[in-house]
Structures are given as structure tokens and as C-alpha cells.
Amino acid sequence: MNYKNLILIVCVAMLFFCFNKKQTLPDGFVYAKDIIPDLDVELRYFTTNNFVGDTIDGYKTNKLILTKETAEKLKLVREELQEQNLCLKVYDGYRPQSAVNHFIRWARDLNDTINKQQFYPDVNKRNLFKAGYIASRSGHSRGSTLDLTITNGETGEPIDMGSPYDFFGEQSWVNYKVITEKQKENRQLLQTVMLKHNFRNYPKEWWHFTLRWEPFPKTYFDFEVE
């Protein structure tokens, strides 16, 4: 083997290593798919399909990170739903503080309303802080909060919850009345199975749950999702 070929092999090997290496997570955190290998993950803040309309700071890949306790409890939720031919889709889990800061900057730019019609048609952007949709700290940054929905086990499509994920408005409140009986039933199913496994809900967002007795109740992390 000549010298040039050896250099080429070494370079290829290094590139493969860099692209496949996982970051070292803080103690107590895991990649969710190490616990639930076939979990459906669609981190919306790694995409442009969100209320900002852009990839959010701190999201470098579509890898769900959670505290170990949260991932283990989520596995039990998924196993129970599978008995009904249902699955889970997770839209967000651990969220770095840099992402929260991105939301704050966006919320203060009152001229940036590119996705208003889709995500907050009835809310004035200047009121997003007062209404509780944007905050300076997020439970997601503690690693034990996640956003998710239930999907059809055969098609993989989300079941009808009566409002889209991350919709800012009363339609997303868990007890909103002006939806169909089936939509109410779907919301209740998610509430029931999550509560059974020690997840408490945020009443203004049907998709938002936090593990009871979370391991880092007062610590807000800022490592990137990568």
C-alpha cells in the first residue's frame, strides 16, 4: 500500500468517526433511542416547521435527549399503547437554554410573523409572554419534559387531537370543549396513559408533559442537541 492510499484510508476513517460519534451527555441524560430504539422522533425545532419558521439554536440533529428516568418511563407508556396498536411520536424533549433564548429574541421582534396564521392566528405576538406561551426558562431545559402525541400503529399518522402541535390558543387547552367527542377521547387517552406512568400535564398544551419527581428540578442545562 502506498503512502497516498494510506492517508486516504485514515482520512475516510476519521470522517466516519466524526459523523457517527455521539456527544458525551451529562450524567443522568441518555439518547432516548438507546432506551426505545424504534421510537418515532420528529424534533420540530430542528426543522423550519415551527412557530419561528427556522431551525432553532442548539438543535444540531434529530436526536431526542432525555433524563434516564424519563426515557425509562416513556418506554412503559409506549409499551402500553402498543397493546392498542398505537405508538408515540415525540416532537421535543430536552431543550437547551440557547434555544429558549432564541424564542425570546423572536418573540421580541414584533415584525417577524411569518408563521402567525398557522401557529398563533388569534394571539397578538406582543402578548405571547403575558399569555404564557413564551418564557425566559423552560422545563424542557431540565431534561424531563417532553412534547408528544399518539400515532396510529399501522399508518404512523398522528391521531386527531383537535389542534396542531404548538398551536398557541385555547384550542390546545386540554379541557377545550369546542372539539368533537373523538378528539376529546383521544386527548383523554394521552392524558390517562401519561399520568399512569407519572407524567403531569401542562393544562394549556395537550402535548406537554413533565415527569413527576424529576431528577433535576432546579437545574437548566445548555448543552446542544447533537
Side-chain angles (χ1 to χ4, degrees), residues 75-212:
K75 182 178 181 180
L76 298 179
V77 172
R78 188 178 186 281
E79 288 174 350
E80 182 164 337
L81 287 172
Q82 282 185 310
E83 295 176 0
Q84 304 176 54
N85 198 25
L86 298 170
C87 295
L88 289 172
K89 178 188 282 286
V90 182
Y91 294 120
D92 196 28
Y94 162 72
R95 180 187 304 166
Q97 181 62 40
S98 60
V100 178
N101 295 342
H102 190 162
F103 293 160
I104 293 171
R105 294 195 306 273
W106 168 83
R108 288 172 175 166
D109 182 0
L110 300 182
N111 294 318
D112 182 356
T113 56
I114 186 171
N115 279 350
K116 176 176 173 59
Q117 191 56 42
Q118 182 179 355
F119 289 98
Y120 54 106
D122 303 317
V123 180
N124 191 312
K125 191 175 181 182
R126 70 177 64 253
N127 295 327
L128 290 177
F129 283 103
K130 183 169 65 175
Y133 296 117
I134 302 291
S136 60
R137 290 289 182 92
S138 169
H140 283 275
S141 300
R142 303 193 300 263
S144 296
T145 294
L146 67 167
D147 298 338
L148 78 173
T149 193
I150 296 173
T151 60
N152 182 298
E154 294 181 358
T155 67
E157 292 299 313
I159 65 176
D160 189 355
M161 293 291 186
S163 79
Y165 166 62
D166 249 3
F167 184 85
F168 298 161
E170 291 187 19
Q171 297 94 318
S172 295
W173 295 10
V174 174
N175 293 324
Y176 184 66
K177 302 300 183 184
V178 192
I179 54 178
T180 69
E181 290 304 313
K182 184 60 177 176
Q183 290 165 342
K184 292 176 184 177
E185 179 183 318
N186 290 343
R187 289 188 182 191
Q188 189 57 51
L189 174 61
L190 180 60
Q191 295 294 315
T192 299
V193 70
M194 293 297 285
L195 182 60
K196 179 178 178 180
H197 295 285
N198 290 329
F199 288 96
R200 55 184 172 81
N201 171 253
Y202 175 52
K204 290 187 175 182
E205 297 177 348
W206 57 257
W207 56 80
H208 179 113
F209 295 87
T210 299
L211 182 69
R212 293 181 184 272

Side-chain angles (χ1 to χ4, degrees), residues 34-100:
D34 287 346
I35 306 294
I36 319 170
D38 54 352
L39 181 64
D40 188 3
V41 175
E42 183 188 331
L43 297 184
R44 287 290 184 86
Y45 302 134
F46 179 59
T47 74
T48 59
N49 183 19
N50 56 61
F51 58 87
V52 174
D54 198 1
T55 301
I56 305 304
D57 290 355
Y59 287 83
K60 305 298 185 182
T61 186
N62 187 52
K63 292 181 179 178
L64 176 65
I65 298 172
L66 297 169
T67 59
K68 187 172 186 289
E69 292 89 337
T70 303
E72 289 174 342
K73 289 293 186 181
L74 188 64
K75 182 178 181 180
L76 298 179
V77 172
R78 188 178 186 281
E79 288 174 350
E80 182 164 337
L81 287 172
Q82 282 185 310
E83 295 176 0
Q84 304 176 54
N85 198 25
L86 298 170
C87 295
L88 289 172
K89 178 188 282 286
V90 182
Y91 294 120
D92 196 28
Y94 162 72
R95 180 187 304 166
Q97 181 62 40
S98 60
V100 178

